Structures are given as structure tokens and as C-alpha cells.
């Protein structure tokens, strides 16, 4: 339907143009020649209109196909975005849950750390005032390292404190007299029974 419309318009303009030219050419050419020219121009115009319509139809088909592809791609991208958004929101909830768990466990960690540091202070007092300490001087270094550290002593620190207490218990059960060097009350080195 549209093709006929364009064809009529092109033919009408061609006829008008040729009639205008024909008025000038009446003197030089015969009407038969003018009619042949008009007919030739009309055929050429019709052929051009058909070619133009085919090009337009081809371009329209290509554009419609491209539009359909773009809409399908947009749907895929939207689905992907929705999935990623849902995953992101789930991860945010999981992070909030882990943060809350960590905060609640932090109190427990602080309590355990306080207990361990308290035991280290008690071990420090005990070893400082004990007659066994000169035989195990490294005990003081171990305890000082635990007390001075800002970090949690960990399992190794707890084991070290336990070992000091066990050494203390074992050593207090093995108290015996012996002869050796010591510093006397006057501050001089002396030998004798200890």
C-alpha cells in the first residue's frame, strides 16, 4: 500500500517535471518524442521507487531484528543484575550476622584473656618469692613475655603458665638440704647448707 503511494507521488512529480520541460521542447521535438521520454522517465522513477522501498524494507527488518536482540540482551542483563543484587544483599546479611557473632564472642575472649593474664600475674608473684626460681631462671622471662604482650597469649602461653605451676608443685615436693653458695643476710657470698 505504501509502495503505491510513493509510486504515485514519484510519477506525478515526474510528469509535472516533464510537462514543464515539454513546454519548452514543443518547438524542437514532437509530441511522440515527449511521450516516449515521459514514459521512460516514469519507468525509471517506478524502478527507483521499488528499489527504495526494498532498501527501506530491508533496513526496517534489520532494525527490528537488532531491536529484538537488544531487548533480549537487556532482559538477560536485568536477570543477572537481579541475581547479583540478591547475592549482595545475602552477603550483607551474612556479614551482619558474623559481626554480631564476633562481638558476642569477643566478650568471652576478653574473659579468657583476663583469666590467663591473672594466672600469669599469680605465677609471677609465686616465682619471684620462691626459693626454686634460681634453679629455673627462664620462668621469669616466660611470664614477663606473657604479661608485657598486648596480644592474647594463645595456647602456647597457657601451656607455659601451666608448666610453671606444675614445676612449682613438683619442686615444692622435692625440697631437700644441700651444700652450695648463697648470698647471706649481710650481702656477702657464702657457702653452706641450703
Amino acid at each position: 500500500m505504501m509502495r503505491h503511494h510513493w509510486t504515485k507521488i514519484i510519477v506525478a512529480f515526474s510528469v509535472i517535471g516533464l510537462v514543464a520541460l515539454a513546454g519548452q521542447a514543443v518547438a524542437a521535438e514532437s509530441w511522440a518524442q515527449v511521450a516516449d521520454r515521459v514514459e521512460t522517465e516514469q519507468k525509471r522513477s517506478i524502478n527507483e521507487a521499488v528499489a527504495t522501498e526494498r532498501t527501506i524494507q530491508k533496513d526496517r527488518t534489520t532494525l527490528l531484528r537488532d531491536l529484538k536482540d537488544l531487548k533480549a540482551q537487556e532482559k538477560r542483563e536485568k536477570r543477572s543484575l537481579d541475581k547479583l543484587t540478591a547475592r549482595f544483599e545475602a552477603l550483607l546479611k551474612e556479614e551482619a550476622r558474623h559481626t554480631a557473632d564476633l562481638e558476642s564472642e569477643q566478650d568471652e575472649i576478653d574473659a579468657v584473656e583476663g583469666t590467663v593474664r591473672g594466672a600469669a600475674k599469680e605465677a609471677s608473684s609465686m616465682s619471684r618469692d620462691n626459693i626454686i626460681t634460681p634453679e629455673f631462671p627462664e620462668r621469669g622471662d616466660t611470664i614477663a613475655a606473657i604479661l608485657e604482650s598486648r596480644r592474647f597469649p594463645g595456647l602456647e602461653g597457657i601451656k607455659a603458665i601451666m608448666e610453671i605451676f606444675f614445676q612449682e608443685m613438683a619442686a615444692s615436693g622435692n625440697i631437700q638440704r644441700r651444700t652450695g653458695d648463697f648470698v647471706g643476710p649481710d650481702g656477702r657470698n657464702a657457702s653452706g647448707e641450703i
Side-chain angles (χ1 to χ4, degrees), residues 65-120:
R65 185 181 64 241
D66 290 348
L67 178 63
K68 181 181 175 184
D69 291 346
L70 286 173
K71 284 183 179 181
Q73 182 180 357
E74 179 186 22
K75 284 181 182 178
R76 286 191 305 271
E77 295 294 331
K78 182 159 179 13
R79 282 193 302 267
S80 176
L81 176 64
D82 290 344
K83 286 179 184 177
L84 289 174
T85 301
R87 176 72 176 136
F88 178 70
E89 289 173 359
L91 287 173
L92 285 176
K93 288 178 183 176
E94 188 174 340
E95 179 189 27
R97 185 176 49 82
H98 287 306
T99 301
D101 290 347
L102 183 62
E103 288 173 357
S104 68
E105 289 175 2
Q106 187 62 42
D107 293 337
E108 295 173 18
I109 291 171
D110 291 343
V112 169
E113 184 176 3
T115 303
V116 170
R117 291 196 189 280

Side-chain angles (χ1 to χ4, degrees), residues 130-132 168 170-178 194:
N130 196 306
I131 60 173
I132 302 169
E168 186 68 29
S172 65
N174 290 329
I175 295 177
Q176 58 184 352
R177 290 181 176 252
R178 64 180 173 88
I194 303 176

Side-chain angles (χ1 to χ4, degrees), residues 18 33-45:
L18 290 176
Q33 289 174 333
V34 172
D36 287 342
R37 240 188 214 157
V38 168
E39 191 175 317
T40 302
E41 286 297 318
Q42 180 182 11
K43 286 179 183 177
R44 187 178 60 77
S45 297

Side-chain angles (χ1 to χ4, degrees), residues 172-192:
S172 65
N174 290 329
I175 295 177
Q176 58 184 352
R177 290 181 176 252
R178 64 180 173 88
T179 303
D181 295 331
F182 61 91
V183 178
D186 59 357
R188 293 188 200 176
N189 286 338
S191 287

